[in-house]
Amino acid sequence: MFVLVNLKAYPCDGPAVARAVREVSEESGVRMAVAPQAAQLETIHDTGAETWAQHVSPVEQGSHTGSTLAEAVADAGAVGTLINHSERRLRLADIDGALSAADRADLETVVCANNPAQVGAAAALAPDAVAVEPPELIGGDVSVSTADPGVVKDAVDAATAVDEDVSVFCGAGVSTGSDVAAAGELGAEGVLLASGVAKADDPEAVLWDLVSEI
Amino acid sequence: MFVLVNLKAYPCDGPAVARAVREVSEESGVRMAVAPQAAQLETIHDTGAETWAQHVSPVEQGSHTGSTLAEAVADAGAVGTLINHSERRLRLADIDGALSAADRADLETVVCANNPAQVGAAAALAPDAVAVEPPELIGGDVSVSTADPGVVKDAVDAATAVDEDVSVFCGAGVSTGSDVAAAGELGAEGVLLASGVAKADDPEAVLWDLVSEI
Amino acid sequence: MFVLVNLKAYPCDGPAVARAVREVSEESGVRMAVAPQAAQLETIHDTGAETWAQHVSPVEQGSHTGSTLAEAVADAGAVGTLINHSERRLRLADIDGALSAADRADLETVVCANNPAQVGAAAALAPDAVAVEPPELIGGDVSVSTADPGVVKDAVDAATAVDEDVSVFCGAGVSTGSDVAAAGELGAEGVLLASGVAKADDPEAVLWDLVSEI
Amino acid sequence: MFVLVNLKAYPCDGPAVARAVREVSEESGVRMAVAPQAAQLETIHDTGAETWAQHVSPVEQGSHTGSTLAEAVADAGAVGTLINHSERRLRLADIDGALSAADRADLETVVCANNPAQVGAAAALAPDAVAVEPPELIGGDVSVSTADPGVVKDAVDAATAVDEDVSVFCGAGVSTGSDVAAAGELGAEGVLLASGVAKADDPEAVLWDLVSEI
């Protein structure tokens, strides 16, 4: 199980969250990472936590002002990147281009998608993983395991039918240890979290709860 | 074999091209259609030629000023639509949304894609067909059958691996009857043409050549 | 005063609304027009009502599949076009390009903008008019004359400071004859309406009310 | 005169360029800055050179995965930002939003624009400066002072007519000291450079030449 904490553009104490992630990951043995804004990658990487980017641009080195170059992200310490997050949707051709960019820079990749059909489409582009983010679960307090367990199972089936080597992550609806356990039983190999950890009064306590039933 | 003529935003005599398409289609028995700008759908439909849209928006009826509603396109006479043409690339989620819109309005669908991996991705969304448009062949005079026959074969394999019911069209590199024949031998069930027909001095002669080896 | 009715992508009877617009305009002497989807321009134009486009693309004739060519829109009967509607925001350079496209096709232009600063910016590109659409009034039942009269006055001042020849329209918050009268007193030379007319049980009655205090 | 060096996504030694910028700026007394990718802001800021962002997103803190938050850019050391660069064009409403974001984070702002009309539009949004980037000069070796001196003069007139407090920068066509001098005589208070400095074998020598006629 891989727990990936997306800091989005929250007004949170990123380094404090990252230190909690590093500590709980080391002590629990569960893989965890933090995905900050591009401008904060170095600061987060300096905490020793595994660091991911939130996005990379579908471009090669060159005249691309204001882009997020995969090589720059890797130089700043990222070892992986989200692509096509629901808050940063990309054109199909650009998901393909961003995956190529990530490959060039040796970044691990998780492509986000809305539903099982889109999960299958994303899997056809051969990322390391696809995260299913049902729109009705995004940003809410509803648990995927009680509200919509079928979507994770269907996403796993859709991805596997296209490419058995692509993992499926649960991209929404996870906030507790039993959610993580349920996601794992449904076939997910990772979970994405955001405000539940990033805005918590005690991120370390939340992280310990998340890994409590793995 | 299905021959689909895209009028793009060319300064051509659309109705004259459409009449040629209707006549050659009727006499040859080969299915043919014309895809004009949205504002010209009614005029083209009035010629009696099978009429397609170049694009539909991923929206339902409502507050969407400046969109291209699938229902409006169907009311104007279209029976199908291109989606994600290389000149009108869409986000993955919006390709999915445009396919849903087209389904609602009973429009046949051809999703365009750059390469076999993207063809596989598009096929996962269950359109009627996927058209492979290798960027190096778009808009050129190079024939797909001599320059890059592998790409059509690979596209057919990629689509079939994901969904056997999705046809593959050859979206570029076709300008003669032998190109059409070659595309068919490689597994394509349709071809997209544009300036080769739309800007021809004698569209009818070009269309007769296109069907000459089917 | 110019009353422009935007049909958006509503599931309404466009021709019936257009006939009402033509009749009330002719009888009242107040200029009125209807803006349908591109695919419905011909049908609306056939009613005899003044017809506008909802959007034109910032392109010239050529390889632009899925665009809305200004020339095609004019051929279908439009004499003007909205640009940069809040539901179809454009890049600054593309507003400029769409205005050039509209000029080429002899289309009158109304550029929409959120607030007085953006109205000034739009005026610098020399459209025929700018419509101010305060986000807090869009789609609501709140009247601009009671909720936010200052925004129309400020928009008129902002446009005039940049270019005295650019008219200002009130793009939201208008649903009754007294709203129209108030907009006129604040300096607006036109009003944009949408669902209030398009979805009315009796569009003609609504239109008569709109012109009742001019 | 302000010399702003845009590193774009070039495969260059950013810190070496930044050190040259700092040294030549300190010794010549001419204000200079470097604009790297967001992920490299901290590294560039650590060289002691004045650091700018290439872009900020039109958003506030919150759920905006993959955005470039103005506050994050400022925390990483940036004191200013480009907005609407020709390689990162924004919607009019988003230029306005990005300027608000930059103001919140106390970032100085330079909005780029294609031609004098768009310079006037950008000036109406009250940035600190507007940079005129005539498309025919971008990325070429043509000097603005010989090829198109009128465009800088017209841009200055357009900006001044709208807001006297907005400076004009010359955003393209500058590569030598005499170009900088010519831009200054035409009314420009700053110049944007990119590959001419970033990809130079000896950036320091190029920078010394740039300030040689100020």
Side-chain angles (χ1 to χ4, degrees):
Chain A
M1 183 58 62
F2 177 27
V3 176
L4 179 50
V5 178
N6 178 0
L7 300 183
K8 299 192 174 185
Y10 292 138
C12 64
D13 183 346
V17 174
R19 284 187 297 270
V21 162
R22 190 203 64 211
E23 286 168 25
V24 178
S25 179
E26 284 176 2
E27 293 181 36
S28 67
V30 176
R31 184 182 174 195
M32 294 185 177
V34 181
Q37 294 264 308
Q40 297 173 325
L41 284 166
E42 288 190 45
T43 296
I44 296 301
H45 179 248
D46 286 347
T47 64
E50 181 175 327
T51 306
W52 279 53
Q54 295 178 1
H55 166 74
V56 294
S57 300
V59 299
E60 301 189 7
Q61 292 179 318
S63 294
H64 305 292
T65 299
S67 63
T68 304
L69 190 69
E71 284 83 351
V73 149
D75 284 349
V79 298
T81 186
L82 295 174
I83 291 174
N84 195 47
H85 188 276
S86 60
E87 293 157 13
R88 191 73 154 97
R89 290 293 190 217
L90 299 183
R91 293 171 177 156
L92 172 61
D94 288 341
I95 298 175
D96 197 21
L99 284 166
S100 298
D103 279 351
R104 274 188 346 249
D106 279 325
L107 297 170
E108 211 172 316
T109 51
V110 176
V111 176
C112 301
N114 275 343
N115 56 34
Q118 292 175 34
V119 165
L125 303 172
D128 293 302
V130 179
V132 62
E133 298 178 295
E136 60 276 21
L137 294 185
I138 292 176
D141 293 328
V142 184
S143 160
V144 70
S145 57
T146 53
D148 198 2
V151 76
V152 176
K153 182 73 172 55
D154 292 347
V156 172
D157 291 347
T160 306
V162 170
D163 184 342
E164 290 189 355
D165 294 334
V166 175
S167 304
V168 171
F169 285 18
C170 186
V174 174
S175 55
T176 66
S178 54
D179 294 336
V180 174
E185 280 160 28
L186 292 161
E189 297 180 39
V191 292
L192 303 192
L193 286 109
S195 61
V197 176
K199 294 178 157 183
D201 288 333
D202 184 350
E204 197 169 325
V206 174
L207 292 164
W208 275 118
D209 178 54
L210 285 169
V211 301
S212 61
E213 300 186 28
I214 296 178
Chain B
M1 182 60 61
F2 178 28
V3 176
L4 180 49
V5 179
N6 179 358
L7 300 184
K8 299 191 173 185
Y10 293 139
C12 63
D13 183 346
V17 174
R19 284 189 295 269
V21 162
R22 190 203 62 210
E23 286 168 24
V24 178
S25 180
E26 284 176 2
E27 293 182 37
S28 68
V30 176
R31 183 182 175 195
M32 294 186 178
V34 181
Q37 294 265 308
Q40 297 173 324
L41 283 166
E42 287 190 46
T43 296
I44 295 302
H45 179 249
D46 286 346
T47 66
E50 181 176 327
T51 305
W52 278 52
Q54 296 177 2
H55 165 74
V56 293
S57 300
V59 299
E60 299 187 10
Q61 291 179 318
S63 295
H64 305 291
T65 300
S67 63
T68 305
L69 189 69
E71 283 83 352
V73 150
D75 283 348
V79 298
T81 185
L82 295 173
I83 292 175
N84 195 45
H85 188 276
S86 61
E87 293 157 13
R88 192 73 153 96
R89 289 296 190 215
L90 299 183
R91 293 172 178 155
L92 172 60
D94 288 342
I95 297 175
D96 196 21
L99 285 166
S100 298
D103 279 351
R104 274 190 343 250
D106 278 324
L107 297 170
E108 210 174 318
T109 51
V110 176
V111 176
C112 300
N114 276 341
N115 57 34
Q118 291 174 34
V119 166
L125 302 173
D128 294 301
V130 179
V132 61
E133 299 178 294
E136 60 277 20
L137 295 184
I138 293 175
D141 294 328
V142 184
S143 159
V144 69
S145 57
T146 54
D148 198 1
V151 77
V152 176
K153 182 77 171 52
D154 291 348
V156 172
D157 291 347
T160 307
V162 170
D163 184 340
E164 290 189 355
D165 294 334
V166 175
S167 304
V168 171
F169 284 19
C170 187
V174 173
S175 54
T176 67
S178 54
D179 293 337
V180 173
E185 281 160 28
L186 292 161
E189 296 179 40
V191 292
L192 303 191
L193 285 109
S195 60
V197 175
K199 294 179 159 182
D201 289 332
D202 185 349
E204 197 169 326
V206 174
L207 291 164
W208 275 117
D209 177 54
L210 285 170
V211 301
S212 61
E213 302 186 28
I214 296 178
Chain C
M1 183 59 61
F2 178 28
V3 175
L4 180 50
V5 178
N6 178 0
L7 300 184
K8 299 192 173 185
Y10 292 138
C12 62
D13 183 346
V17 174
R19 283 189 296 270
V21 161
R22 191 203 63 211
E23 286 168 24
V24 178
S25 179
E26 284 175 3
E27 293 181 37
S28 67
V30 176
R31 183 181 175 196
M32 294 186 178
V34 180
Q37 294 266 307
Q40 297 172 325
L41 284 166
E42 288 190 45
T43 295
I44 296 300
H45 179 248
D46 286 347
T47 65
E50 181 177 327
T51 305
W52 278 52
Q54 295 177 2
H55 165 74
V56 293
S57 300
V59 299
E60 300 188 8
Q61 291 179 318
S63 294
H64 304 292
T65 300
S67 62
T68 304
L69 190 69
E71 284 83 351
V73 150
D75 284 349
V79 298
T81 186
L82 295 174
I83 292 174
N84 195 47
H85 188 276
S86 60
E87 293 157 12
R88 192 73 152 96
R89 289 296 191 215
L90 300 184
R91 293 171 178 156
L92 172 60
D94 288 342
I95 297 175
D96 197 21
L99 285 167
S100 297
D103 280 350
R104 275 191 342 252
D106 278 325
L107 297 170
E108 211 172 317
T109 50
V110 176
V111 176
C112 301
N114 275 341
N115 57 34
Q118 291 175 34
V119 165
L125 302 173
D128 293 303
V130 179
V132 62
E133 298 178 296
E136 60 276 21
L137 295 184
I138 292 176
D141 294 328
V142 184
S143 160
V144 68
S145 57
T146 52
D148 198 1
V151 76
V152 176
K153 182 76 171 52
D154 292 347
V156 172
D157 291 346
T160 306
V162 170
D163 184 341
E164 290 189 356
D165 294 334
V166 175
S167 304
V168 171
F169 284 19
C170 187
V174 173
S175 55
T176 67
S178 54
D179 293 337
V180 174
E185 280 160 28
L186 293 161
E189 298 180 38
V191 292
L192 303 190
L193 285 108
S195 60
V197 176
K199 294 179 159 183
D201 289 333
D202 184 349
E204 197 169 324
V206 174
L207 291 164
W208 275 117
D209 178 54
L210 285 170
V211 301
S212 60
E213 302 186 27
I214 296 179
Chain D
M1 183 58 63
F2 178 27
V3 176
L4 179 49
V5 178
N6 178 359
L7 300 183
K8 298 192 173 185
Y10 293 140
C12 64
D13 183 346
V17 174
R19 284 189 295 270
V21 161
R22 191 202 63 211
E23 286 168 24
V24 178
S25 180
E26 284 176 2
E27 294 181 35
S28 67
V30 176
R31 185 182 174 194
M32 294 185 176
V34 181
Q37 294 265 308
Q40 297 172 325
L41 283 167
E42 288 191 44
T43 296
I44 295 301
H45 179 249
D46 287 346
T47 65
E50 181 176 327
T51 305
W52 279 52
Q54 296 177 0
H55 165 74
V56 293
S57 299
V59 298
E60 300 188 9
Q61 292 178 318
S63 293
H64 305 292
T65 299
S67 62
T68 304
L69 189 68
E71 284 82 353
V73 150
D75 284 349
V79 298
T81 186
L82 295 173
I83 291 174
N84 195 45
H85 188 275
S86 60
E87 293 156 14
R88 192 74 154 95
R89 289 296 189 216
L90 299 184
R91 293 170 178 157
L92 172 61
D94 288 341
I95 297 176
D96 197 21
L99 285 166
S100 297
D103 279 351
R104 274 190 344 250
D106 279 325
L107 296 170
E108 212 173 317
T109 50
V110 176
V111 175
C112 300
N114 274 342
N115 56 34
Q118 291 175 35
V119 165
L125 303 172
D128 293 302
V130 179
V132 61
E133 299 178 293
E136 60 277 21
L137 295 184
I138 292 176
D141 293 329
V142 184
S143 161
V144 70
S145 57
T146 53
D148 198 2
V151 77
V152 176
K153 181 76 170 53
D154 292 347
V156 172
D157 291 348
T160 306
V162 171
D163 184 342
E164 290 189 354
D165 293 334
V166 175
S167 305
V168 171
F169 284 19
C170 186
V174 173
S175 55
T176 67
S178 54
D179 294 337
V180 174
E185 282 161 26
L186 293 161
E189 297 180 39
V191 292
L192 302 192
L193 286 109
S195 61
V197 175
K199 293 180 159 182
D201 289 334
D202 185 349
E204 198 169 324
V206 174
L207 291 164
W208 275 117
D209 177 54
L210 286 170
V211 300
S212 61
E213 301 185 28
I214 296 177

